[in-house]
Amino acid sequence: MEERKQTLLLGSDAEGIAQAARLLRESELVGIPTETVYGLAADALNGTAAARIFAAKGRPQDNPLIVHIASLSEWEPLVRELPAQAVRLAEAYWPGPLTMILPRSGRVPEAVSAGLPTVAVRMPSHPVARAIIEAADRPLAAPSANRSGSPSPTTAAHVLADMEGRIAAVVDGGPCSVGVESTVVDLTPTLQGGPVRLLRPGGITVPQLEAAAGTVVIDPAVTDRLAEGAVASSPGMKYKHYAPQAQVIIVRGDPEHYAAYVNRRAQEEPDRHVAALCFEEDRPRLQVPCVMYGRRDDPSSQARGLFDAMRRLDADGIDVAYAACPGQGGVGLAVYNRLLRAAAFTIVDA
Ligand code: AMP
Ligand code: MG
């Protein structure tokens, strides 16, 4: 365990960016805003600095980090090959919320890739993230800046709540515009003529990927959800992730049935602090405390609101939250994927 020190809260002006870059060059950890979620950044070419990320987050050693770049010229030295589909995806969606996995070069420390022969690279669009990478003058390894297992941070306050005393500084760039982590695609199958593989849904959607790179195979873990039946049980804590302390149960059904189900459960569980993790439109029908995450037909608003809503459940001391089930189209697939893990795959039909 590293010694605790005070975490600086830096502004996103020129002075804050310069100080963040200086700390990063000195192998320190800095929380930085990106368009997806806040990242916990370290010098990606310095194995010792990158290793500190795992300690600060309590991250399992076998979970590799994403390397963030600000220009295409930084990409080639990190990878052994750049297949045509990777270049097409970069042209279409970089800078933006897309991470590509390719065979790694010898320049990428083992710690960053957790010993894998591949490296994950992303070019963020957030102007402050880009400015910090440019000022540090090196790629930055940055996973989400939360303690491992807890909801990802979408504000500087979330980062401080998890990381105060564990990192040198956090740069406040305001709330994140996407709100869920980047889309992760594996490009290594394309080196043998195979399709791009979606490992994690995010702000770049499956139709967007297909428009630029052809067929996309969705890894079963993305949509792995249990039974269409009344109650699907959890496959185990191993897969619980992005989770608040509160128990989360996803409730599938139209708005009337959802509200009726939640109101009934609250009556049946008088000893537990029950809340609805719902859409704005659901509120009038609900007779329990509501923590809202966006509007029913607007997946982008759900993505922006989901992680903050999970943190509010805990701030409000909620024991169990019945979550309105999001659609799975577009960015909704990412929202559904995160909520499914927060709920440890527990879904009921109302
Ligand atoms: P985070 O930055 O905390 O959102 O996590 C990064 C995600 O990218 C995790 O799900 C990692 O497992 C995944 N990832 C990073 N590098 C690789 C890689 N080389 N191969 C497969 N997955 C990766
Ligand atoms: Mg994460």
Side-chain angles (χ1 to χ4, degrees):
M1 186 55 230
E2 306 210 357
E3 121 196 36
R4 289 182 77 85
K5 53 199 163 194
Q6 206 189 340
T7 298
L8 298 170
L9 179 60
L10 303 174
S12 59
D13 52 0
E15 193 184 318
I17 287 165
Q19 189 160 0
R22 190 159 54 240
L23 288 164
L24 288 161
R25 283 197 303 267
E26 291 164 359
S27 309
E28 296 282 355
L29 305 182
V30 179
I32 65 169
T34 84
E35 70 277 21
T36 58
V37 302
Y38 274 70
L40 182 56
D43 179 349
L45 302 181
N46 175 336
T48 311
R52 297 174 76 182
I53 290 176
F54 291 84
K57 274 181 66 88
R59 186 177 177 98
Q61 297 289 336
D62 62 357
N63 197 358
L65 308 175
I66 295 171
V67 178
H68 293 69
I69 59 176
S71 72
L72 283 174
S73 62
E74 292 171 286
W75 195 15
E76 219 159 335
L78 299 172
V79 298
R80 275 197 286 109
E81 280 180 87
L82 270 189
Q85 270 118 316
V87 175
R88 280 203 292 277
L89 284 169
E91 279 167 3
Y93 304 117
W94 277 1
L98 177 66
T99 296
M100 286 191 257
I101 294 171
L102 286 165
R104 82 176 154 96
S105 77
R107 286 191 74 200
V108 180
E110 290 263 326
V112 169
S113 278
L116 293 175
T118 51
V119 61
V121 182
R122 174 167 107 81
M123 186 191 292
S125 65
H126 196 295
V128 176
R130 298 172 62 76
I132 294 170
I133 298 166
E134 279 164 11
D137 196 24
R138 66 204 63 202
L140 299 178
S144 51
N146 52 297
R147 293 300 304 273
S148 202
S150 74
S152 294
T154 54
T155 66
H158 293 166
V159 177
L160 283 177
D162 278 20
M163 290 295 169
E164 169 74 65
R166 306 178 75 88
I167 62 177
V170 57
V171 178
D172 189 350
C176 301
S177 59
V178 177
V180 291
E181 303 86 343
S182 59
T183 301
V184 178
V185 284
D186 183 4
L187 270 294
T188 58
T190 70
L191 295 167
Q192 272 82 46
V196 171
R197 201 173 174 86
L198 177 71
L199 301 186
R200 178 175 75 181
I204 299 298
T205 65
V206 172
Q208 285 179 306
L209 295 170
E210 286 178 333
T215 307
V216 173
V217 171
I218 300 179
D219 191 276
V222 170
T223 48
D224 182 52
R225 57 203 148 96
L226 300 176
E228 300 296 321
V231 179
S233 63
S234 160
M237 291 296 288
K238 191 175 158 210
Y239 303 104
K240 195 168 172 181
H241 198 31
Y242 310 110
Q245 298 296 313
Q247 182 188 4
V248 177
I249 295 169
I250 300 174
V251 182
R252 222 166 8 201
D254 62 35
E256 290 78 19
H257 286 101
Y258 166 69
Y261 181 89
V262 177
N263 291 334
R264 192 171 69 246
R265 293 303 303 166
Q267 301 252 305
E268 289 165 1
E269 298 180 285
D271 299 337
R272 297 177 87 195
H273 199 169
V274 172
L277 180 57
C278 63
F279 302 125
E280 288 168 23
E281 298 89 332
D282 296 322
R283 183 170 219 168
R285 293 194 182 88
L286 288 158
Q287 291 146 20
V288 301
C290 292
V291 173
M292 289 171 289
Y293 77 105
R295 292 175 298 280
R296 191 167 271 278
D297 294 318
D298 182 358
S300 297
S301 72
Q302 296 162 16
R304 269 194 304 279
L306 182 66
F307 287 132
D308 182 65
M310 286 186 193
R311 284 176 184 260
R312 273 187 286 139
L313 292 174
D314 290 342
D316 293 350
I318 302 301
D319 297 315
V320 54
Y322 291 97
C325 189
Q328 292 173 49
V331 181
L333 184 62
V335 177
Y336 181 71
N337 170 274
R338 306 306 190 273
L339 194 57
L340 204 52
R341 276 156 181 79
F345 291 85
T346 310
I347 303 182
V348 299
D349 282 309

